[in-house]
Amino acid sequence: MSKNRRRPARGRHSTVRTVPLRTHWLLLTTLVLTLSAALLLQGYTQHLFDSRPDAEPRDRGSVTSVPEQIRSGGPVIEGAAGRTAGPAPRTMALTFDDGPDPVWTPKILDVLRRNGVRATFFTVGTKVAENPGLARRIVDEGHQIGLHSFTHTDLGAASAWRRSLELRETQLVIAGATGVTTPLLRPPYSSTAKALGDADWDAVVQAGQEGYLTVLTTLDSEDWRRPGVERIVADATPKDTGGQILLLHDAGGDRAQTVAALEQLVPRLKASGWTFATVGDAVALPGAVRPAATADRWQGLALITAIRTSDWILEGLSWLLWAAGAVSLLRAVAVFVAARRHVRMRRKPWGPPVTEPVSVIVPAYNESAGIEAAVRSLLASDHPVEVIVVDDGSTDGTADIVEALRLPGVRVIRQQNAGKPAALNTGIAAASCNLLVMVDGDTVFEPDAVRMIVQPFANRRVGAVSGNAKVVNRGGLLGRWQHIEYVVGFNLDRRLFDLAECMPTVPGAVGAFRREALLRVGGVSDITLAEDTDLTMALCRDGWRVVYEERAKAWTEAPASLGALWKQRYRWCYGTLQAMWKHRGALTQRGQAGKLGRRGLLYLLTFQVLLPLLAPVVDVFAVYGLVFLDPVRILGLWTAFLVLQVLMGLYAFRLDGERPGPLWSLPLQQFVYRQLMYLVVIQSVFTAVAGSRLRWQRMERYGSLQVPVAPADTAPTAPQTAPGPAPQPGPGPAYAYAPDGGHDTDPAWGPHPYAQTPQHHIWPSDGPDGAYR
């Protein structure tokens, strides 16, 4: 991509909003908070759910605070007042815990209906939310409904605030599902009054203070053990005539034995003179279940909706994340395989060496910090070039700097500020060669870069060539991260695009074009902000091949602050979206255009739009997994993907001849840089959807690029009619840099290579006074 520059608003865009909407940040924040709330609710209801059987042995601790009258009293306890009650003689209250269950609760209700028996169901809040219809059926068929906490948690071991939350939320979902409220509570893991410990009693007292009656048991069928139908019937049969509250279960696993035992137990007890009643009727408790207040019912319905929605969200996210992970893994494999094939493919020559001269167009707006280094590096090329600097209305003396150098083979064209596309078109019109290289004014070429980048033009099908842009100011974390992105992301992708013949972008920093191809597509368009992507896609749709030549290396300045990086990538991403929309017709075309559409555009849509949009969800879900799921598993998956990135990085750095040292910062990149990049995508997508138009923004220059100094043993020589072996760059990113800038007679620089051969580089349009306009 080309660097940010100022671009004035055009008249034809005067009706388009030029300030991006800011409401999307509020929407994004709302969506993230909603997702977080949904996952928090899901985590609480599902992953803090205690699934141990009710009768599982527990250490009850001390019993010193439990009053004796409670321990020896009835199973129904009003904790705040310390009173108890029990069923009348020969009265049996059937109670069922842990439901409602979609399989077993209906079967149990059918048995009770056939036998004309009413029972009491102590329901779990989350189960009611999952099966509100069953909760309504329980109440509609005359049974009593009670609370068994929200997540089947041990209330004795829970904190006071969680006890209140568990009871309140369960009451609300019952109100929302059935339209009634109930004071009846059976704490999970409770049994008889004699088994109460101090912590259990504390929970009973708190429940009483909040208006609940605690219902314990006198008889345990132990059906949770699944001991067999006969054993359940025997355990559930009273040994005397005292009133009983019998513990059974309608959920928590396979309850086929419970259903079969009921078929035998109820008729047998009836025949023995036993009466069946709900808990409220058994202890003569009038009005145990009452209609719910309107507010409670609506709150309950809202809570049920939230819980069920969170279930759907989690299920949908799980599928999305699995799909995203699979696609990302396939992408890594595809990029790796493509890179290996690309290396082998590039070992074959394109054809006869391309030796014809090249016009290098340098559009420049306020590039005084690096323009001299850029121009001198171009003239140091081992391939014949003319350099055309198009000054696009600079206010910092960019054109004056170039003219003052009085370098042979360099022309300066001044124009009023009209934007980079206009500057490029001016350069194209002024160029004298059939092969054109376009380069940003903050970019330094290696001596063989021009020669390398034009060699693919030996193939007549090739209309444009992407070079290898590398970051020069790679110090600090931000510089390292961008360096990694250029080497691993951009360049690996370009190898894949080249192999698939669907290259979407020739970067403005280093790209070569065939004049014929440019003229056929009408030159550089200013409709989008990513003029390089727009131009490349237009060439592909016109039938030209666009290839990648990694040996053509150029060094460019990257943003040195997060703010500058944001502006640059925002424009890049927004411009790419514009170009994708403009060239969407390629999806249905054939030939080279179809390859761009069905390969390149879909790849960009998947990996540069959709997956980044999903990235915030991945981060939120990762936090959810660390809190509620298995943190070791989550960390393992994150580590596995990080290792995959490191391996891809090592391979990409090896292909580019780079030292792998910067890759140590990859883990840190996941926590800052990646988030910034997906926020850029979100901002760009919302801006595009809202119909806003982003203005051109010029990137700040830092003066990282300096005049290159040729090593003593590889001093540049005059261009040859046929290219010789490529000079080997000295140590460092591309050159040793002269701190003072250097001129033609600078001893460190040596005589300018083209001063000896002016006949090859003085063009007809050059002015006699050396002022190139």
Side-chain angles (χ1 to χ4, degrees):
M1 284 286 185
S2 56
K3 301 298 181 291
N4 296 328
R5 301 174 61 248
R6 187 183 67 182
R7 180 181 184 181
R10 301 299 183 93
R12 61 178 173 274
H13 301 314
S14 58
T15 60
V16 183
R17 188 185 296 108
T18 58
V19 180
L21 295 177
R22 300 300 178 189
T23 54
H24 61 273
W25 289 121
L26 177 61
L27 178 59
L28 174 62
T29 301
T30 302
L31 290 174
V32 171
L33 291 177
T34 302
L35 174 63
S36 301
L39 291 178
L40 184 63
L41 181 60
Q42 179 70 200
Y44 183 83
T45 58
Q46 299 298 322
H47 301 290
L48 294 183
F49 192 97
D50 196 337
S51 58
R52 294 174 299 162
D54 278 327
E56 183 177 285
R58 295 186 307 140
D59 180 12
R60 291 289 175 178
S62 64
V63 296
T64 57
S65 65
V66 183
E68 182 58 35
Q69 69 268 25
I70 298 297
R71 292 172 56 82
S72 59
V76 180
I77 304 172
E78 203 282 293
R83 295 178 298 186
T84 67
R90 286 192 174 274
T91 300
M92 171 71 74
L94 298 177
T95 63
F96 297 89
D97 288 5
D98 296 349
D101 181 272
V103 175
W104 303 111
T105 302
K107 296 180 182 294
I108 289 173
L109 289 171
D110 291 342
V111 173
L112 297 177
R113 185 180 65 249
R114 286 195 297 269
N115 287 274
V117 171
R118 302 290 183 266
T120 304
F121 290 79
F122 290 99
T123 56
V124 178
T126 56
K127 298 291 188 181
V128 173
E130 293 172 4
N131 307 283
L134 283 178
R136 284 194 296 272
R137 179 181 172 185
I138 288 172
V139 173
D140 291 345
E141 293 187 4
H143 305 286
Q144 274 186 343
I145 194 166
L147 284 68
H148 199 47
S149 82
F150 193 66
T151 60
H152 199 266
T153 191
D154 186 348
L155 297 179
S159 59
W161 70 265
R162 186 173 179 189
R163 293 171 186 166
S164 295
L165 179 65
E166 290 277 330
L167 300 183
R168 176 60 178 164
E169 299 305 288
T170 309
Q171 189 73 276
L172 284 178
V173 295
I174 288 176
T178 67
V180 302
T181 59
T182 175
L184 304 179
L185 164 68
R186 172 164 293 161
Y189 309 107
S190 63
S191 57
T192 65
K194 292 181 179 180
L196 287 174
D198 289 346
D200 302 320
W201 174 243
D202 186 61
V204 170
V205 172
Q206 181 178 342
Q209 293 170 344
E210 297 180 13
Y212 295 97
L213 295 174
T214 299
V215 181
L216 303 180
T217 61
T218 60
L219 198 60
D220 187 356
S221 69
E222 296 195 357
D223 61 339
W224 64 275
R225 298 181 184 274
R226 300 184 187 87
V229 175
E230 293 183 0
R231 180 62 184 272
I232 293 174
V233 172
D235 289 340
T237 301
K239 304 301 187 290
D240 53 37
T241 59
Q244 304 289 338
I245 295 182
L246 175 63
L247 173 62
L248 295 156
H249 295 84
D250 64 330
D254 187 343
R255 297 304 175 203
Q257 293 182 7
T258 302
V259 174
L262 277 176
E263 295 278 16
Q264 299 180 25
L265 179 66
V266 173
R268 184 179 301 178
L269 291 180
K270 277 187 173 183
S272 301
W274 282 82
T275 301
F276 290 91
T278 62
V279 168
D281 292 340
V283 298
L285 181 66
V289 176
R290 298 179 180 180
T294 301
D296 286 346
R297 185 164 188 177
W298 280 108
Q299 289 181 59
L301 288 171
L303 182 57
I304 291 172
T305 301
I307 292 173
R308 301 187 75 176
T309 301
S310 70
D311 291 340
W312 297 332
I313 289 175
L314 184 65
E315 184 176 0
L317 285 181
S318 298
W319 282 105
L320 276 177
L321 293 179
W322 277 112
V327 169
S328 298
L329 185 60
L330 288 175
R331 177 201 184 192
V333 173
V335 167
F336 176 77
V337 172
R340 289 182 61 86
R341 291 188 60 187
H342 190 267
V343 169
R344 292 195 297 268
M345 183 175 67
R346 284 295 169 262
R347 291 172 182 165
K348 301 177 181 179
W350 288 96
V354 176
T355 60
E356 61 182 282
V358 174
S359 296
V360 182
I361 302 169
V362 186
Y365 175 78
N366 287 352
E367 300 285 2
S368 60
I371 192 65
E372 181 178 355
V375 171
R376 287 189 179 279
S377 73
L378 294 171
L379 291 180
S381 299
D382 61 6
H383 192 93
V385 298
E386 71 162 335
V387 178
I388 302 172
V389 177
V390 182
D391 184 85
D392 190 36
S394 297
T395 59
D396 67 346
T398 297
D400 297 334
I401 292 173
V402 180
E403 288 175 341
L405 297 176
R406 296 182 177 274
L407 297 174
V410 177
R411 275 187 291 162
V412 176
I413 300 176
R414 298 174 184 259
Q415 66 177 32
Q416 291 185 347
N417 183 262
K420 184 178 181 180
L424 289 171
N425 287 329
T426 298
I428 293 170
S432 304
C433 303
N434 292 321
L435 300 182
L436 310 178
V437 171
M438 298 180 186
V439 54
D440 287 337
D442 64 339
T443 302
V444 164
F445 270 37
E446 292 203 355
D448 63 347
V450 173
R451 176 168 57 85
M452 288 296 185
I453 203 170
V454 298
Q455 295 310 306
F457 290 120
N459 185 328
R460 281 293 306 166
R461 290 184 58 208
V462 174
V465 184
S466 167
N468 187 348
K470 304 179 78 64
V471 175
V472 66
N473 54 330
R474 56 182 68 172
L477 279 178
L478 190 60
R480 288 189 182 94
W481 290 339
Q482 292 178 86
H483 170 44
I484 292 171
E485 183 181 28
Y486 271 65
V487 175
V488 180
F490 298 162
N491 289 339
L492 278 185
D493 276 350
R494 288 193 181 107
R495 288 179 168 90
L496 176 62
F497 290 140
D498 189 356
L499 205 65
E501 299 186 24
C502 61
M503 185 77 68
T505 303
V506 172
V510 52
F513 301 86
R514 197 184 293 275
R515 174 191 284 274
E516 174 190 354
L518 291 175
L519 295 179
R520 276 175 44 174
V521 299
V524 184
S525 170
D526 65 350
I527 293 178
T528 74
L529 295 185
E531 79 291 330
D532 43 11
T533 299
D534 185 10
L535 176 60
T536 307
M537 291 183 178
L539 292 172
C540 288
R541 295 188 69 186
D542 195 45
W544 295 98
R545 273 212 59 190
V546 181
V547 301
Y548 174 53
E549 179 50 77
E550 67 270 21
R551 294 171 296 180
K553 297 179 181 179
W555 298 83
T556 186
E557 275 193 324
S561 68
L562 288 176
L565 178 65
W566 173 276
K567 291 178 181 179
Q568 183 199 65
R569 297 309 173 85
Y570 181 23
R571 188 180 65 79
W572 283 10
C573 185
Y574 182 79
T576 298
L577 291 175
Q578 288 179 306
M580 291 171 63
W581 181 253
K582 177 181 176 181
H583 296 285
R584 64 190 183 278
L587 289 167
T588 58
Q589 291 182 293
R590 296 182 178 180
Q592 197 64 43
K595 293 176 182 178
L596 169 71
R598 290 182 291 277
R599 298 176 186 176
L601 293 186
L602 291 180
Y603 186 93
L604 292 178
L605 178 66
T606 300
F607 295 107
Q608 293 192 20
V609 179
L610 297 181
L611 284 184
L613 288 177
L614 190 61
V617 176
V618 174
D619 289 346
V620 172
F621 194 83
V623 175
Y624 165 80
L626 290 173
V627 175
F628 293 109
L629 303 178
D630 183 359
V632 175
R633 180 185 175 190
I634 298 299
L635 289 174
L637 288 172
W638 184 83
T639 303
F641 273 97
L642 181 61
V643 169
L644 178 62
Q645 289 179 323
V646 170
L647 292 176
M648 289 183 63
L650 289 171
Y651 183 61
F653 270 57
R654 179 184 175 188
L655 290 181
D656 259 27
E658 294 280 358
R659 296 178 180 178
L663 291 174
W664 70 263
S665 64
L666 259 179
L668 296 177
Q669 190 184 43
Q670 306 303 304
F671 296 105
V672 179
Y673 193 82
R674 189 173 65 88
Q675 281 75 9
L676 181 67
M677 292 301 101
Y678 70 60
L679 287 176
V680 164
V681 174
I682 292 170
Q683 170 92 350
S684 301
V685 170
F686 272 99
T687 302
V689 171
S692 302
R693 183 172 179 83
L694 182 65
R695 292 182 184 271
W696 275 85
Q697 297 167 326
R698 180 185 179 276
M699 194 186 88
E700 180 183 357
R701 304 304 187 204
Y702 312 101
S704 305
L705 300 168
Q706 301 178 36
V707 177
V709 178
D713 59 342
T714 58
T717 58
Q720 308 166 17
T721 56
Q728 297 302 311
Y735 300 94
Y737 293 111
D740 60 350
H743 288 279
D744 294 345
T745 57
D746 190 323
W749 177 258
H752 196 277
Y754 302 125
Q756 303 172 20
T757 54
Q759 67 275 14
H760 297 297
H761 305 283
I762 298 296
W763 304 93
S765 57
D766 293 347
D769 58 355
Y772 305 95
R773 290 182 172 85

